[in-house]
């Protein structure tokens, strides 16, 4: 009963594709495969209906198991869920993008994906899927040989994905096929220039831009560009450094944790909420989708409940003033400097 009531309080936001996305989702990055089925099952039980995965997280098969268990037990039906996955860098070329979209949809055990994102705006040399359960800024596990870039423009990758889109509420039929199995398309880690370029040729418009976003990296002009283009922004790593401490990221080590930042703690005390809920509400109150990750049922529930209270304008502004353009998920640095994207 409680689950149903929290689920119904999560706003549904309309995408360019005509489909709705639940404003709060559950992120899967760095959840070990052996914990993922349980985590996804418990997230659904807690009331999440939107799950954010990726080929690169190496846990899609297990996520699908968690979904099937929830469906088997009658908690949800497939139609209640919004499932996102992402195309990794080594599979941008026409043939490989098609292969990856099929492989990833099959891995989840689903007939369709609600949203498929280009994970990074960078193409790297193909690695046969049979060789690659670690996707790969690098060619080797010891991270000495950077995977070379591949000469594939984003326009090629986008056109391939367009051909896999199923006809839907707002999808023009000449570009989509009745055998399509992707409902909405989007991009991740793109800047405004790339969005302008993409929208100059896209026949299926991008529905979502997923980017790192928290008070230390607020990116107001990128958000403005996306809004002007009708693209919904999803914020990832909304707790800022928190997710990167376990990766021993020096930028994360050397900064005050956002969960302890003064304006966040002050608003949390006034509202009798947790700092994590305040950080999520700072995003959702500005119209962003959030996808926090936790494997602990109490935190899952806490994080999901981030649309049912309001920060004051002064609290919003005080939290925004923490902005310092500090990015944690920068492969040019956090993954040992393979490529310089940002
Ligand atoms: P996050 O901001 O959700 O933070 C996760 C960390 O915060 C974990 O250490 C967790 O234990 C801790 N935490 C979670 N809830 C908490 C709470 N209530 N109180 C205190 N600590 C809490 O970080 P994330 O996993 O990097 O981002 C969320 C999701 O975004 C990912 O799981 C993934 O799905 C997506 N993502 C996408 C990209 C991309 O390139 N598109 C990159 C990173 C993450």
């Amino acid at each position: 009963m409680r689950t149903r009531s929290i689920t119904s309080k999560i706003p549904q936001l309309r995408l360019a594709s005509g489909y709705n996305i639940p404003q709060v989702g559950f992120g899967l990055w760095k959840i070990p495969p052996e914990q993922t089925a349980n985590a996804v099952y418990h997230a659904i039980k807690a009331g999440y209906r939107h799950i954010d995965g990726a080929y690169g997280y190496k846990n899609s098969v297990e996520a699908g198991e968690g979904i099937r268990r929830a469906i088997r037990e009658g908690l949800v039906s497939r139609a209640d869920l919004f499932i996102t996955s992402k195309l990794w860098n080594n599979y941008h070329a026409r043939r490989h993008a098609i292969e990856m979209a099929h492989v990833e949809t099959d891995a989840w055990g689903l007939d369709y994906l609600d949203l498929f994102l280009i994970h990074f705006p960078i193409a790297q040399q193909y690695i046969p899927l049979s060789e690659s359960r670690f996707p790969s800024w690098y060619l080797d596990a010891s991270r000495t040989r950077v995977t070379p870039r591949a000469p594939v423009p984003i326009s090629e990758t986008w056109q391939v994905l367009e051909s896999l889109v199923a006809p839907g509420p707002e999808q023009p039929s000449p570009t989509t096929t009745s055998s399509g199995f992707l409902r909405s398309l989007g991009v991740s880690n793109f800047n405004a220039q790339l969005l302008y370029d993409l929208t100059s040729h896209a026949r299926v418009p991008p529905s979502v831009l997923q980017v790192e976003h928290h008070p230390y990296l607020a990116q107001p002009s990128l958000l403005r560009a996306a809004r002007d283009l009708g693209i919904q922004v999803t914020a990832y790593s909304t707790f800022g450094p928190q997710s990167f401490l376990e990766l021993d990221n020096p930028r994360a080590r050397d900064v005050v944790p956002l969960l302890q930042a003064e304006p966040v703690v002050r608003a949390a005390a006034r509202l009798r909420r947790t700092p994590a809920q305040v950080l999520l509400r700072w995003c959702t109150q500005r119209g962003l989708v959030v996808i926090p990750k936790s494997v602990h049922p109490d935190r899952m529930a806490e994080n999901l409940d981030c649309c049912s209270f309001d920060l004051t304008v002064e609290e919003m502004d005080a939290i925004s003033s923490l902005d310092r353009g500090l990015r944690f998920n920068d492969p040019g640095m956090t993954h040992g400097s393979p490529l310089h994207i940002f």
Side-chain angles (χ1 to χ4, degrees):
M1 189 57 95
R2 197 183 155 276
T3 296
R4 206 172 305 142
S5 69
I6 184 73
T7 302
S8 65
K9 284 188 190 139
I10 306 303
Q12 300 275 333
L13 305 181
R14 180 56 59 100
L15 301 177
S17 59
Y19 291 101
N20 288 337
I21 187 170
Q23 195 172 8
V24 187
F26 181 69
L28 300 187
W29 185 36
K30 297 196 253 89
I31 300 185
E34 63 278 10
Q35 292 179 29
T36 304
N38 243 343
V40 167
Y41 169 79
H42 282 290
I44 293 172
K45 202 165 180 185
Y48 288 86
R49 296 294 178 263
H50 165 186
I51 312 284
D52 184 80
Y55 171 78
Y57 302 163
K58 296 175 277 178
N59 52 18
S60 303
V61 169
E62 295 79 5
E65 280 169 27
I67 289 172
R68 280 190 295 285
R69 182 174 158 204
I71 291 175
R72 237 184 1 255
E73 293 188 12
L75 298 179
V76 284
S77 68
R78 169 67 183 97
D80 297 326
L81 298 173
F82 187 100
I83 307 298
T84 303
S85 190
K86 313 188 187 86
L87 177 80
W88 189 250
N89 312 342
N90 311 102
Y91 308 98
H92 277 211
R94 180 170 301 281
R95 178 159 73 82
H96 307 140
I98 291 175
E99 181 188 17
M100 164 63 69
H102 279 283
V103 162
E104 197 46 23
T105 309
D106 292 348
W108 286 81
L110 299 174
D111 293 337
Y112 67 91
L113 293 174
D114 293 276
L115 177 63
F116 200 56
L117 306 177
I118 298 179
H119 205 147
F120 276 91
I122 185 91
Q124 290 181 283
Q125 181 183 293
Y126 177 63
I127 298 177
L129 281 160
S130 55
E131 290 173 26
S132 161
R133 272 328 279 184
F134 66 94
S136 251
W137 296 107
Y138 294 90
L139 287 170
D140 55 339
S142 59
R143 299 183 153 206
T144 48
R145 289 182 298 132
V146 172
T147 309
R149 286 190 298 115
V152 186
I154 292 297
S155 55
E156 174 176 328
T157 309
W158 192 260
Q159 278 160 22
V160 176
L161 298 184
E162 284 178 330
S163 73
L164 303 177
V165 171
E170 303 285 337
Q171 313 281 15
S173 48
T175 36
T176 59
T177 62
S178 53
S179 59
F181 54 92
L182 305 176
R183 286 198 162 178
S184 305
L185 298 181
V187 294
S188 182
N189 300 299
F190 277 43
N191 62 20
Q193 296 95 317
L194 286 164
L195 294 181
Y196 289 128
D197 184 281
L198 176 63
T199 50
S200 73
H201 62 76
R203 293 196 294 162
V204 172
S207 285
V208 168
L209 167 68
Q210 186 179 119
V211 287
E212 179 177 340
H213 178 86
H214 43 72
Y216 287 153
L217 185 67
Q219 307 183 81
S221 65
L222 176 59
L223 300 197
R224 179 76 199 272
R227 197 179 60 216
D228 291 350
L229 293 167
I231 303 172
Q232 173 62 49
V233 175
T234 296
Y236 76 67
S237 303
T238 39
F239 305 138
Q242 209 61 29
S243 174
F244 299 88
L245 290 170
E246 64 195 85
L247 299 176
D248 204 25
N249 176 317
R251 288 184 192 164
R253 260 194 337 250
D254 297 344
V255 75
V256 175
L258 277 172
L259 295 166
Q260 294 168 24
E262 197 273 332
V264 175
V265 172
R266 191 156 28 96
R270 181 186 73 77
L271 288 156
R272 296 174 194 269
R273 296 282 175 165
T274 66
Q277 289 175 310
V278 167
L279 285 168
L280 292 166
R281 186 61 183 139
W282 177 75
C283 291
T284 57
Q285 203 165 315
R286 290 150 77 238
L288 306 188
V289 172
V290 291
I291 44 173
K293 168 242 163 182
S294 175
V295 292
H296 304 292
D298 51 343
R299 283 183 172 173
M300 284 178 189
E302 174 187 327
N303 294 344
L304 183 61
D305 185 9
C306 65
C307 298
S308 61
F309 60 95
D310 285 329
L311 298 163
T312 63
V313 174
E314 292 74 25
E315 286 167 340
M316 292 291 290
D317 289 347
I319 296 171
S320 299
S321 74
L322 294 169
D323 190 13
R324 57 183 81 174
L326 182 56
R327 184 184 300 280
F328 298 104
N329 195 30
D330 179 353
M333 178 273 217
T334 46
H335 300 284
S337 203
L339 288 165
H340 302 278
I341 297 170
F342 296 112

